[in-house]
Amino acid sequence: MNVQDVAARLLKAYENAEPTAPVIETDPEATIADAYRIQQEQVRHWTSSGQLIKGHKVGLSSSAMQEQMGVDQPDYGHLLSGMFHLEQQPIPASAFLQPRIEPEIAFVLGRPLEGPGVTVADAVRAVEFVLPALEIVDSRIRDWNISIVDTIADNASSGGVVLGSKPTLLSAVDLRLVGCTLHSDGELIATGAGAAVLGSPLNALVWLANTVGPLGVRLEPGHVVLPGSMTRAFPVKPGDSVVANMAELGTVTATFAAAV
């Protein structure tokens, strides 16, 4: 397969706002290693165009998301500066193709993390604080018809991020026990807990550092890491307002601009 050609096809889906066929359909021999090479090719395009890498996301780290997407392992993607949206400020739904939303506990790093060999103790020392977050996942693959290869190639189905504004120290909270309620336009649509994310969101951070470390990637101070969703993902549309309440971590709201 030609990595550059597949990356260009996915980039064109962004530019034309038109989903494309699954990678695994057009290139059935593509491997997970190929998929990460395709992802990295797109990241190079974005950074050469002026965007900054502001962190990473771990996807498919809860059983709910693995079951929903039909996969059996986590993946990771890059968070670029253009993906971050301010809380309660209208987000243009037209910026996405097939958006869905999910609640997460975001880590903000104060120290670097570089695998292999990172432990939970190392991860705890590296985290400066956590924030409630809503991730907007999106797919450039038509009808979300994705395999693990497809979602990795598509930057782990990344779309956007909304961070809450209440920082909490790790010493003040047990992330495993943090409960979450998710409301859309005032209606409760899901509940979850931190333990849904690989037993603890910290485990997802450790997995990420140890997975990207051998590739020469270090998680940097100031980076945001999204460890994975506490619930399944829900479709969103213009005019929706979604609120995640994460108990002692506070709330975060994503508001989508109404259709014009």
Side-chain angles (χ1 to χ4, degrees), residues 45-61:
H45 169 81
W46 291 323
T47 55
S48 68
S49 299
Q51 291 211 53
L52 303 174
I53 296 173
K54 301 298 289 185
H56 290 80
K57 61 160 287 185
V58 180
L60 308 173
S61 55

Side-chain angles (χ1 to χ4, degrees), residues 174-186:
D174 185 339
L175 297 184
R176 299 168 301 176
L177 303 181
V178 172
C180 172
T181 59
L182 189 67
H183 290 79
S184 179
D185 295 328

Side-chain angles (χ1 to χ4, degrees), residues 14 20 29 63 68 76 95 125 135 166 194 242:
Y14 279 96
T20 188
E29 302 304 315
S63 58
Q68 185 178 5
Y76 72 85
R125 282 195 298 270
E135 183 186 2
K166 179 181 179 291
V242 181

Side-chain angles (χ1 to χ4, degrees), residues 13-203:
Y14 279 96
E15 294 164 7
N16 295 346
E18 185 68 38
T20 188
V23 175
I24 206 70
E25 179 182 300
T26 57
D27 294 273
E29 302 304 315
T31 65
I32 287 178
D34 292 329
Y36 279 120
R37 289 166 57 214
I38 295 165
Q39 180 186 135
Q40 194 62 51
E41 190 69 24
Q42 294 172 86
V43 172
R44 278 192 287 270
H45 169 81
W46 291 323
T47 55
S48 68
S49 299
Q51 291 211 53
L52 303 174
I53 296 173
K54 301 298 289 185
H56 290 80
K57 61 160 287 185
V58 180
L60 308 173
S61 55
S62 70
S63 58
M65 287 304 301
Q66 290 184 6
E67 181 178 341
Q68 185 178 5
M69 293 291 100
V71 301
D72 61 0
Q73 59 184 296
D75 66 350
Y76 72 85
H78 292 71
L79 299 177
L80 283 299
S81 49
M83 295 179 180
F84 286 78
H85 302 272
L86 292 176
E87 186 178 19
Q88 299 188 5
Q89 297 299 306
I91 301 168
S94 60
F96 309 101
L97 300 184
Q98 306 171 97
R100 298 176 178 179
I101 201 161
E102 48 190 47
E104 308 201 19
I105 298 171
F107 295 109
V108 180
L109 301 185
R111 299 183 183 182
L113 269 181
E114 186 172 12
V118 169
T119 67
V120 168
D122 297 325
V124 169
R125 282 195 298 270
V127 174
E128 186 169 356
F129 54 86
V130 296
L131 295 169
L134 285 165
E135 183 186 2
I136 305 163
V137 292
D138 197 9
S139 183
R140 274 55 61 177
I141 305 299
R142 191 178 302 122
D143 300 322
W144 277 96
N145 182 22
I146 60 174
S147 66
I148 187 69
V149 167
D150 293 297
T151 185
I152 291 171
D154 190 24
N155 195 28
S157 303
S158 298
V161 185
V162 180
L163 298 175
S165 56
K166 179 181 179 291
T168 300
L169 299 178
L170 281 184
S171 58
V173 64
D174 185 339
L175 297 184
R176 299 168 301 176
L177 303 181
V178 172
C180 172
T181 59
L182 189 67
H183 290 79
S184 179
D185 295 328
E187 178 185 352
L188 178 65
I189 57 173
T191 60
V197 183
L198 292 182
S200 168
L202 277 167
N203 293 335

